[in-house]
Amino acid sequence: MLKLANLFVMILGLGCSFSVTANSTAVDRRVNPPSSFEDLNPFDPHNEEKLKAIDEDYEKQTGQSPFLLPDENTPDCYRMTCSVYAVVDKTQQKMFLYLKGQQIGEYLVSTGVPGYTTPDMDTHPNGRIYDAYTSVHFPGGDYNGLGNMPYAVFIQGGFAIHGTTQGNWPKLGHVASHGCIRLYPDNAKIFNRLVREYGVKDVWVTVD
């Protein structure tokens, strides 16, 4: 059985190889990756199966779901009709965040470098969400005990919006990642908390 202290997930297509904790108050329950997960690729047709195995073990070990389940009573929405709408403009390397139709944030981001280009996306988040991540190979470091990819919200497959560590802050506003959408951690936390508050059916993300 995989141990919570020895579980890793690496997502090469986005440069995301993670150890995971359930929330920011439980950072001592860090998950470390075994080599068997070091080649997880979001373009691999078996990628989701591997992620599900990680999710199952995570839930067994923490007693918490790695997903936000959609509220069936929440009507579906699209873009600006959603309570929370995030637009990632790869040309400007910015994320524009809207709450109930009003812009509440404009944040510098880093999307994927050539060869790891962040794909265009237009969808609800897929529901996989954590407060703390640690990437083994990219980008290094730790942010306030939350790892080097804090407040990650997965959007599609293995691609996530997440905070990044101080060494990468000067790169925000420029392409620099391996496919993920990097933010300053405080800004990533704002988005993460809004997703948790409003739920995936009332959040929309456009990346283009």
Side-chain angles (χ1 to χ4, degrees):
M1 178 182 293
L2 293 172
K3 301 292 185 182
L4 184 62
N6 296 299
L7 177 63
F8 272 104
V9 182
M10 178 173 182
I11 305 178
L12 289 178
L14 47 78
C16 302
S17 172
F18 310 118
S19 68
V20 186
T21 61
N23 54 57
S24 58
T25 61
V27 293
D28 58 322
R29 305 185 72 177
R30 189 61 52 84
V31 183
N32 297 315
S35 59
S36 60
F37 292 103
E38 288 187 355
D39 293 321
L40 195 60
N41 186 319
F43 298 104
D44 182 343
H46 302 294
N47 179 55
E48 189 61 26
E49 296 173 21
K50 295 174 183 178
L51 283 171
K52 285 180 179 178
I54 300 300
D55 292 335
E56 289 172 3
D57 189 72
Y58 172 87
E59 187 166 8
K60 288 177 183 177
Q61 296 290 339
T62 65
Q64 299 187 32
S65 174
F67 283 92
L68 289 178
L69 299 178
D71 183 350
E72 297 303 324
N73 296 319
T74 301
D76 207 0
C77 62
Y78 176 70
R79 292 189 172 181
M80 199 66 80
T81 66
C82 298
S83 291
V84 180
Y85 180 38
V87 180
V88 177
D89 186 325
K90 291 187 286 185
T91 300
Q92 297 187 63
Q93 289 294 293
K94 289 183 177 180
M95 184 173 98
F96 301 91
L97 185 59
Y98 299 86
L99 179 61
K100 298 184 177 179
Q102 300 298 313
Q103 185 175 332
I104 62 168
E106 179 180 323
Y107 311 131
L108 294 176
V109 303
S110 289
T111 61
V113 296
Y116 296 92
T117 302
T118 307
D120 290 350
M121 292 176 271
D122 199 33
T123 183
H124 295 293
N126 68 12
R128 187 178 277 113
I129 182 171
Y130 296 104
D131 287 359
Y133 277 119
T134 295
S135 172
V136 182
H137 297 281
F138 311 106
D142 186 15
Y143 178 76
N144 291 347
L146 296 173
N148 52 23
M149 305 183 77
Y151 305 116
V153 176
F154 284 86
I155 307 305
Q156 176 178 295
F159 296 96
I161 295 174
H162 65 78
T164 192
T165 50
Q166 189 169 359
N168 287 317
W169 295 352
K171 301 175 186 177
L172 294 172
H174 307 277
V175 294
S177 80
H178 287 74
C180 282
I181 299 161
R182 297 177 182 170
L183 286 167
Y184 181 73
D186 287 353
N187 299 332
K189 183 177 181 180
I190 291 169
F191 179 60
N192 177 289
R193 292 299 184 260
L194 286 172
V195 174
R196 290 189 180 280
E197 179 179 353
Y198 287 92
V200 294
K201 285 187 67 177
D202 204 14
V203 177
W204 195 271
V205 178
T206 299
V207 181
D208 61 17

